[in-house]
Amino acid sequence: MAEGRHVVLGVTGGVAAYKAVYLARRLIDRGATVRVVMTESALEFVGSATFGAITGTDPVTSFFGGEDVSPHTTLGRWADVIVIAPATASTISKLAAGQSSDVLVATVLASRARVVIAPAMHTEMLDQPAVQKNIETLRAYGYEIVDPEDGPLAGGDEGPGRLADPEVIADAVREAFPRLDMAGLRVIVTAGGTREPIDPVRYIGNRSSGKMGASIAEVAVERGAEVVLVTTTTQTPVGSIEIVQVETADEMAEAVWSRAGAADVAVLAAAVADFRPDQVHRTKIRRTAGVPEIRLVPTPDILKGVSEMTSRPFLVGFAAETGSLDTASEKATAKDVDLLVANDIAKEGSGFGSDTNEVRFVFRDGSTRDLPLMSKRDVATQIWDTVMTLRAES
Ligand code: PMT
């Protein structure tokens, strides 16, 4: 079912545009709220009033002239899924090239929603290597392609290229909806590296960008969780996330410990300084005063603090290692976590700052699972899939 889900239906200029009217009706029957975006040539085949009457809202047909000054970004953010049916060779080509010259392609490019494409065209066009290459490019980008069928085409022709049955397209839209398996779950995530001040100018810090933690927060909120992100960075995740901005380990500890008791799951991905200067100079330390001696004292162990809470959340810790990940198992036991995510920060494409990461999961019983190099978003998805499975088993 599609209760409460938002679908943008893109209609392009082909005879099969009339079937998009029925598709809109079926999506609404299944519970979705549908907004339609039509290209200029789609308007030659079906009137916008027809879609307006079915969906209850006028279709968007241009960047300009409507009440919204930026309809493509508004709809792009609103959509859970964008489906283009029928999709002409021209629109497919623009999408493959990232060419946002019309409001429909711009809506897709301005969105993080899953995209379903249902091509429809004459067999000769479909068979063209350029068209096939563009379809394959979209597939490689992660777009869902609903293959056209073999059957009667416009102008009395017959063969492959006919728009797939609207019920089949509606099923593909349903499959594309993000899972809401984390609805009702309260989650706290930490991200970024703490900064421990030496004086008003200098601090002890590290290279964490906050990308790993932001991805973990983003995926959780997409799957329906209520998310608090305690972060030191300005890396802003998409979605309705409560952001708690902190700078030092002490501030992060306070923010996490005061909220973790009410959380179901805590994922501590931040790179927290283990030591801080015992004194912060009130004024800038002058070079002329000679080499300063800075005494360090330990910071609070935030992870350990959460693990010792009487009513503790399901706890996921990270381990930043250099070289072998074998010592991570000791960390998992010492910190008493339910799951440890270890990464080798010295490895190409892993750890600090990159968009990718290669991690090892260490489980409570000491067993491990190595994941290949993948985007931090995909690592986040793997973490949540594993957390959900482990919670269900416990
Ligand atoms: O932010 P990015 O640029 O995307 O990089 C991601 C990352 C490399 C920072 C991330 O993947 C990662 O490894 N985070 C943990 C970094 C770290 O501090 O690891 P650690 O092995 O020193 O600490 C182990 C665990 O204890 C971590 O969960 C850490 O958050 C926690 N800790 C550490 C010290 C401290 N005083 N309190 C803590 O809670």
Side-chain angles (χ1 to χ4, degrees), residues 48-60:
S48 65
T50 313
F51 284 109
I54 298 274
T55 63
T57 320
D58 284 337
V60 171

Side-chain angles (χ1 to χ4, degrees), residues 86-344:
T88 57
S90 162
T91 292
I92 288 169
S93 152
K94 283 187 197 171
L95 284 170
Q99 211 189 83
S100 61
S101 52
D102 68 55
V103 69
L104 173 57
V105 177
T107 301
V108 175
L109 296 183
S111 182
R112 289 182 190 244
R114 293 282 306 277
V115 183
V116 176
I117 304 280
M121 63 196 76
H122 270 82
T123 310
E124 293 82 350
M125 291 176 79
L126 187 65
D127 284 345
Q128 285 297 328
V131 174
Q132 283 302 317
K133 190 167 165 232
N134 287 337
I135 290 175
E136 285 321 307
T137 300
L138 295 189
R139 235 191 269 275
Y141 289 162
Y143 291 36
E144 186 61 39
I145 307 292
V146 184
D147 290 323
E149 296 171 352
D150 196 333
L153 300 165
D157 291 341
E158 188 139 353
R162 182 183 162 85
L163 183 70
D165 189 291
E167 293 294 344
V168 174
I169 301 171
D171 285 347
V173 170
R174 187 194 55 212
E175 292 297 314
F177 285 132
R179 282 180 289 172
L180 287 181
D181 59 336
M182 291 176 65
L185 220 62
R186 291 158 305 171
V187 163
I188 183 163
V189 180
T190 66
T194 61
R195 291 178 170 192
E196 310 301 331
I198 298 168
D199 67 11
V201 181
R202 306 166 181 102
Y203 60 84
I204 297 173
N206 62 66
R207 299 175 199 282
S208 170
S209 63
K211 287 181 184 175
M212 190 65 251
S215 296
I216 293 166
E218 214 169 88
V219 170
V221 87
E222 277 171 21
R223 287 166 70 162
E226 221 176 90
V227 182
V228 178
L229 176 66
V230 180
T231 179
T232 63
T233 73
T234 50
Q235 179 85 25
T236 338
V238 178
S240 141
I241 294 170
E242 184 189 336
I243 309 271
V244 181
Q245 202 74 42
V246 295
E247 186 172 280
T248 63
D250 279 318
E251 287 170 11
M252 186 172 276
E254 210 283 313
V256 172
W257 290 343
S258 61
R259 290 170 176 83
D264 299 298
V265 184
V267 184
L268 304 195
V272 186
D274 286 311
F275 305 99
R276 64 167 175 79
D278 71 338
Q279 274 184 7
V280 182
H281 283 252
R282 279 195 290 122
T283 53
K284 182 181 173 190
I285 300 171
R286 301 266 158 214
R287 186 184 172 90
T288 47
V291 179
E293 276 194 15
I294 299 169
R295 191 171 163 268
L296 299 178
V297 291
T299 56
D301 188 332
I302 305 170
L303 189 61
K304 195 86 177 79
V306 176
S307 78
E308 285 167 359
M309 286 179 159
T310 34
S311 136
R312 63 175 254 180
F314 187 96
L315 186 55
V316 182
F318 266 70
E321 306 291 340
T322 44
S324 166
L325 292 181
D326 292 342
T327 46
S329 300
E330 290 158 31
K331 215 172 253 181
T333 314
K335 304 241 182 182
D336 188 23
V337 291
D338 298 296
L339 175 67
L340 189 87
V341 182
N343 45 195
D344 178 356

